[in-house]
Every structure is written in structure tokens, then in C-alpha cells.
């Protein structure tokens, strides 16, 4: 049986991301408002199509974020929640859960102004490298229509299975161990 020492504060090396000025800060409950803002930014376009007045949209997104936070806390004990920082400002969130054989990317999301800048790709490369160094797969549930899916596939994730009518599970298997000759 493999003994797992989960990621702890400051243990996630991010050389690729640091090279473009990105750092991670461990989040706590004082960061829930920021996490909610990041969450809302990922759903605004979708929810705007409802025609609801802004206060109703805001209330709905806050409720959805609260439900998501409760789900993550219940289903991923020991989840590591990081604020993604660039140039000293919080620009996103990265949630990771390390199991016995898999490093689950529970969530990675950037505010609109930080998207498309290479931050996500650099962080994902670092997460993959961390998982590979520990002999773990890296996995993520991704919406079937999410444009970031192309990035995950480019980084070597492959389709594993359809989780439900909205999400697919993508996985990046660990590299095989070298064979001694």
C-alpha cells in the first residue's frame, strides 16, 4: 500500500508559472468572497441568457458557489485551495486533491482579464510535473463544451469517461517508470 503525503502548504513547486510571474497563496475561509467572484466570472455569459435582473443573477451565482464549496469540502477532504496570483494580485483559483494514485484538479479558473495569458497552461504544466514526479495520474472533470478542453488535450490529457451529461473525466497518466537495463 502506497503511503500518501498530501500536498501541504508551500509544497507545490510551480517553476513554469513562477517564470511568468505567477505565485500561489493558500486560501482560507476569508477568501470565499474572492472564490465566489472567480466562480461567478465563469458563469456570467451563461446566466446572462436567462434575462434575469442583475440582483437575481448575483443571488443565484452566490447560491451556486456556496453549493459548490460545500460539495468540494464534503467530497474532497483535505482539498488544497490556492489563490492564483499574478503581479501581486489575485487572478484565479486552483483547487487540488491528492489521492493514493491520482492528483485531481478539482477546479482551476481565472478571472476574465487573466485568461489567455498562459497562466493556466503554465500552472497545469507544473501540476502535471508534480503528479508525474510522484507517480500519480492527473485528472480533471471538464464540461464537454468548455473551450479549455483543447488546452487539456494539448497538455496530454486523454478522455477517460463521460461522468454525466455535462462533464467528461480527462486524465493524464503517469509516465512509465524507466526500465533498468
Amino acid at each position: 500500500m502506497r503511503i500518501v503525503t498530501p500536498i501541504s502548504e508551500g509544497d507545490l513547486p510551480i517553476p513554469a508559472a513562477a517564470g511568468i510571474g505567477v505565485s500561489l497563496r493558500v486560501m482560507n475561509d476569508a477568501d470565499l468572497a474572492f472564490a465566489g467572484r472567480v466562480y461567478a466570472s465563469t458563469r456570467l455569459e451563461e446566466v446572462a441568457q436567462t434575462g434575469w435582473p442583475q440582483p437575481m443573477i448575483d443571488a443565484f451565482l452566490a447560491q451556486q458557489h456556496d453549493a459548490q464549496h460545500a460539495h468540494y469540502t464534503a467530497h474532497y477532504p483535505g482539498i488544497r485551495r490556492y489563490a492564483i496570483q499574478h503581479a501581486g494580485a489575485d487572478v484565479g483559483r486552483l483547487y487540488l486533491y491528492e489521492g493514493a494514485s491520482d492528483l485531481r484538479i478539482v477546479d482551476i479558473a481565472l478571472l476574465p482579464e487573466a485568461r489567455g495569458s498562459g497562466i493556466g497552461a503554465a500552472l497545469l504544466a507544473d501540476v502535471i510535473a508534480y503528479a508525474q514526479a510522484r507517480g500519480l495520474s492527473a485528472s480533471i472533470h471538464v464540461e464537454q463544451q468548455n473551450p479549455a478542453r483543447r488546452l487539456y488535450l494539448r497538455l496530454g490529457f486523454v478522455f477517460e469517461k463521460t461522468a454525466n451529461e455535462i462533464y467528461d473525466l480527462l486524465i493524464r497518466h503517469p509516465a512509465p517508470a524507466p526500465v533498468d537495463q
Side-chain angles (χ1 to χ4, degrees):
M1 180 174 152
R2 177 169 131 62
I3 297 174
V4 177
T5 305
I7 301 169
S8 60
E9 193 166 331
D11 279 351
L12 182 65
I14 57 164
I20 60 170
V22 173
S23 60
L24 296 177
R25 177 179 60 76
V26 174
M27 295 173 72
N28 58 41
D29 286 345
D31 294 300
L32 284 174
F34 169 71
R37 190 163 58 92
V38 175
Y39 172 82
S41 78
T42 68
R43 303 275 315 271
L44 280 176
E45 187 176 310
E46 168 194 358
V47 177
Q49 297 175 22
T50 63
W52 295 343
Q54 194 60 49
M56 184 180 285
I57 289 173
D58 294 344
F60 174 77
L61 291 173
Q63 180 272 332
Q64 290 288 291
H65 175 256
D66 291 347
Q68 182 189 65
H69 178 75
H71 174 81
Y72 289 168
T73 300
H75 289 87
Y76 298 104
I79 190 171
R80 299 302 302 168
R81 297 181 299 143
Y82 298 98
I84 302 167
Q85 298 184 306
H86 187 253
D90 291 343
V91 298
R93 66 186 199 176
L94 173 65
Y95 295 176
L96 300 172
Y97 176 76
E98 188 170 339
S101 62
D102 181 65
L103 180 61
R104 174 66 50 93
I105 303 162
V106 177
D107 190 47
I108 181 168
L110 297 167
L111 291 171
E113 59 271 19
R115 295 177 195 151
S117 64
I119 292 171
L123 279 170
L124 287 167
D126 289 333
V127 168
I128 291 166
Y130 176 86
Q132 294 286 310
R134 295 173 68 90
L136 303 172
S137 60
S139 65
I140 187 167
H141 280 102
V142 61
E143 287 185 7
Q144 295 164 355
Q145 304 305 315
N146 186 334
R149 182 186 188 92
R150 291 187 306 275
L151 171 62
Y152 303 132
L153 296 174
R154 192 172 74 236
L155 291 172
F157 286 84
V158 295
F159 172 83
E160 183 76 8
K161 66 180 181 178
T162 297
N164 56 40
E165 64 278 357
I166 299 172
Y167 292 97
D168 287 339
L169 176 63
L170 302 183
I171 192 164
R172 178 107 169 14
H173 295 284
V179 177
D180 292 329
Q181 297 274 337

